[in-house]
């Protein structure tokens, strides 16, 4: 029997973490004596590795500047987590969808720009860790849209590439799916607009959990 695999992005797909991301980005830029980027600009880089995100947000900076911003962001985000002020709520219906997919025999994975530590904390907070067989983060891979994360998910699970879907809210997720030759399903509740997802190669963009489930069911 062929193995079906659903790979989820995290920020903007499983959880709404924009408040913490934007606050941490503001703190990182201020710590380095720079004007914080506009919130929309920060939302546009969610999903990229931190260093690539800083390169885009501060294009005139040197490699050392981007490294300093990356470390300052990590410090700010960690401080919010340790202070108990981190708020990464699941999108409504995600938990039920994940439970249903597992019950239907799907294998599940995550491919995210988060760190290992950040992803584990997020999944543990929501009691979802045991549902995902493969977790791929920016700590161990090139930034999206490089297909490395998806390739690792496939290797970990032995899933059929033709029965694998990448589910995400950004153009980087869709481009990564195209690069890895798997199905590309966007969601409209995250940080990029549907037209961005279609331009990046999305086959469809779900506007609800019901629509997302129907897209996956169409692969069965």
């Amino acid at each position: 029997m062929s193995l079906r695999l659903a790979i989820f992005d995290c920020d903007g797909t499983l959880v709404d973490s924009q408040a913490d991301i934007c606050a941490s980005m503001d703190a990182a830029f201020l710590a380095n004596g720079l004007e914080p980027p506009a919130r929309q600009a920060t939302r546009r880089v969610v999903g990229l590795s931190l260093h690539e995100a800083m390169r885009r947000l501060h294009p005139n900076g040197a490699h050392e500047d981007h490294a300093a911003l990356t470390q300052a962001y990590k410090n700010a985000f960690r401080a919010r987590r340790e202070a108990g002020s981190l708020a990464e709520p699941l999108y409504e219906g995600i938990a039920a969808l994940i439970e249903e997919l597992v019950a239907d025999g799907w294998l599940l994975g995550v491919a995210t720009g988060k760190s290992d530590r950040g992803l584990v904390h997020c999944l543990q907070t929501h009691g979802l860790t045991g549902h995902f067989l493969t977790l791929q983060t920016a700590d161990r891979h090139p930034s999206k849209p490089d297909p490395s994360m998806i390739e690792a998910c496939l290797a970990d699970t032995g899933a059929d590439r033709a029965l694998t879907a990448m589910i995400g809210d950004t153009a980087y997720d869709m481009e990564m799916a195209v690069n890895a030759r798997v199905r590309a399903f966007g969601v409209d509740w995250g940080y990029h607009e549907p037209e961005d997802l279609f331009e990046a190669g999305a086959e469809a963009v779900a506007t609800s959990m019901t629509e997302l489930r129907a897209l996956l069911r169409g692969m069965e």
Side-chain angles (χ1 to χ4, degrees), residues 154-193:
L154 289 166
D156 281 354
T157 61
D160 186 332
R161 190 181 299 269
L163 294 176
T164 295
M166 178 67 210
I167 301 149
D169 68 299
T170 70
Y172 317 124
D173 297 314
M174 301 300 98
E175 291 170 0
M176 181 172 64
V178 171
N179 291 339
R181 306 188 314 282
V182 301
R183 307 291 291 274
F185 296 148
V187 300
D188 80 340
W189 51 80
Y191 306 144
H192 284 190
E193 297 299 321

Side-chain angles (χ1 to χ4, degrees), residues 4-185:
R4 299 163 297 169
L5 173 62
I7 306 171
F8 288 85
D9 170 56
C10 188
D11 298 312
T13 302
L14 295 177
V15 299
D16 186 2
S17 47
Q18 66 173 304
D20 293 303
I21 290 171
C22 290
S24 298
M25 192 66 74
D26 289 351
F29 272 71
L30 290 171
N32 282 274
L34 298 169
E35 182 74 19
R39 172 160 288 210
Q40 180 59 23
T42 296
R43 284 165 53 97
R44 292 292 302 177
V45 300
V46 173
L48 296 173
S49 67
L50 276 176
H51 195 273
E52 176 62 18
M54 298 310 182
R55 190 185 68 79
R56 296 193 184 198
L57 290 174
H58 185 41
N60 295 325
H63 178 84
E64 294 77 13
D65 300 319
H66 300 145
L69 285 167
T70 295
Q71 188 58 54
Y73 178 94
K74 290 180 177 179
N75 294 343
F77 203 88
R78 184 184 308 113
R80 293 178 70 83
R81 181 170 58 237
E82 292 174 351
S85 61
L86 205 61
E88 297 180 302
L90 288 174
Y91 286 103
E92 185 176 355
I94 277 287
L97 174 64
I98 289 170
E99 295 282 355
E100 183 179 353
L101 290 173
V102 171
D104 286 349
W106 282 79
L107 305 178
L108 303 183
V110 177
T112 177
K114 279 186 177 297
S115 66
D116 287 331
R117 184 175 182 179
L119 177 58
V120 168
H121 179 271
C122 180
L123 295 179
Q124 286 179 341
T125 297
H126 297 295
L128 296 177
T129 307
H131 293 313
F132 293 94
L133 298 182
T134 179
L135 303 177
Q136 306 302 326
T137 75
D139 283 348
R140 288 170 284 114
H141 295 280
S143 181
K144 298 175 182 179
D146 189 284
S148 175
M149 291 190 207
I150 293 178
E151 296 295 345
C153 287
L154 289 166
D156 281 354
T157 61
D160 186 332
R161 190 181 299 269
L163 294 176
T164 295
M166 178 67 210
I167 301 149
D169 68 299
T170 70
Y172 317 124
D173 297 314
M174 301 300 98
E175 291 170 0
M176 181 172 64
V178 171
N179 291 339
R181 306 188 314 282
V182 301
R183 307 291 291 274
F185 296 148

